Amino acid sequence: MPPRIDVDAAPVASFVLTDRLAAGTDSGWHVHARHQLLFAGSGLMHLETADAQWLLPPQQAAWISAGARHRVRVRAAAALCTAYLGPPTPDLAEGARVFAVPPVVAAMLEHAAGWDMRRCHGDPAARFFAVLVDLCREAVTRGRPWFLPTARTPELARAMAHVLARPGAPHTIAAAARVAAVSPRTLARRFAAEARMSFEAFVRAARLLRAMSRLLEPGAQVTEVGLEVGFTSPAAFSRAFAAFVGEPPSAWRRRHASDAG
């Protein structure tokens, strides 16, 4: 999904581009010299960096700092609005963060998307983008915990891939350790040191992220999705989903499914 222009060669410090991306689009791994504020007006995207991977559902944004190597894959056709922010724009966070977009930020992005490059010159434009970043500052600090860490060693990578291939299976650390060719104790230490979470927390996050994605598919039913990702009852699924996402799965589906489609 390359931008329509070479964003790193643009003649202005900051500007906004929009695009519509088909399901299956893959940006490939790349970096930009500018910070990015990537807003998903609709659709469903998957953001990866060297350290983590996030689900980017509708009406959420991602902050990607300048120089951060990243990749975006589109799971459901997306309407994308991206601000490319050059110096002296401050860095809100190192790497990437996903957060809920304040309505005023969405409105500002949509407004600036209609500008041509000439309007992006000068002090008024610089002040506009400085205000945009400032409005995101608090929201970024409350970034969504909808991410999975990535592995630095092949053993942990094998264990994570084993879980992600079938998140709804009855996973145990002993079984994952056999796949990784290490002892359960060693694998537990790898999760603590590299992923900064326990094996059990990784399995739960993998299940809930898969559930978030599945609930946005046409015709998906909450009870069926909960069972599919490994929860033994609708009540257990609803409690876990609400603790992770901030609202019950039925409310999540009602609020986001039409935008994802």
Side-chain angles (χ1 to χ4, degrees):
M1 53 181 226
R4 293 187 304 274
I5 65 171
D6 181 350
V7 298
D8 292 329
V12 293
S14 302
F15 54 95
V16 177
L17 295 179
T18 60
D19 210 346
R20 290 192 172 272
L21 307 174
T25 301
D26 185 338
S27 73
W29 289 98
H30 64 286
V31 299
H32 287 301
R34 290 171 167 83
H35 304 309
Q36 289 175 259
L37 181 61
L38 187 156
F39 172 59
S42 63
L44 183 66
M45 291 181 288
H46 186 104
L47 169 65
E48 296 177 72
T49 69
D51 300 316
Q53 49 188 307
W54 288 261
L55 192 69
L56 189 60
Q59 300 300 312
Q60 307 294 313
W63 172 265
I64 306 170
S65 61
R69 187 169 179 263
H70 61 283
R71 175 190 187 191
V72 177
R73 288 178 289 168
V74 181
R75 292 185 175 181
L80 187 62
C81 187
T82 305
Y84 294 90
L85 304 164
T89 305
D91 193 350
L92 296 189
E94 184 178 355
R97 297 286 188 277
V98 169
F99 60 99
V101 177
V104 65
V105 170
M108 290 177 73
L109 287 170
E110 292 172 6
H111 176 64
W115 296 357
D116 61 28
M117 286 294 177
R118 288 170 297 181
R119 190 168 176 185
C120 294
H121 280 287
D123 288 342
R127 288 196 296 271
F128 175 92
F129 287 111
V131 169
L132 179 70
V133 171
D134 195 53
L135 288 170
C136 292
R137 192 175 303 281
E138 185 178 354
V140 167
T141 64
R142 300 194 307 268
R144 300 296 192 177
W146 305 334
F147 74 95
L148 290 173
T150 55
R152 297 197 300 270
T153 59
E155 295 81 10
L156 187 59
R158 287 196 294 268
M160 287 180 171
H162 172 69
V163 172
L164 293 172
R166 295 180 60 210
H171 291 291
T172 65
I173 195 166
R178 285 194 295 272
V179 172
V182 295
S183 70
R185 180 175 294 183
T186 296
L187 184 60
R189 287 199 297 264
R190 293 283 175 86
F191 267 99
E194 293 182 43
R196 305 201 175 197
M197 64 171 57
S198 68
F199 171 78
E200 294 76 16
F202 181 85
V203 171
R204 177 167 291 240
R207 288 173 172 170
L208 291 168
L209 285 168
R210 177 66 63 85
M212 291 169 69
S213 178
R214 283 280 291 113
L215 286 170
L216 298 183
E217 295 177 5
Q221 300 297 316
V222 170
T223 299
E224 293 175 1
V225 169
L227 295 173
E228 177 187 309
V229 299
F231 289 90
T232 56
S233 71
F237 174 53
S238 184
R239 285 195 300 270
F241 192 96
F244 188 73
V245 177
E247 60 185 331
S250 55
W252 163 267
R253 174 164 170 71
R254 281 195 303 270
R255 197 156 63 85
H256 290 302
S258 60
D259 283 337

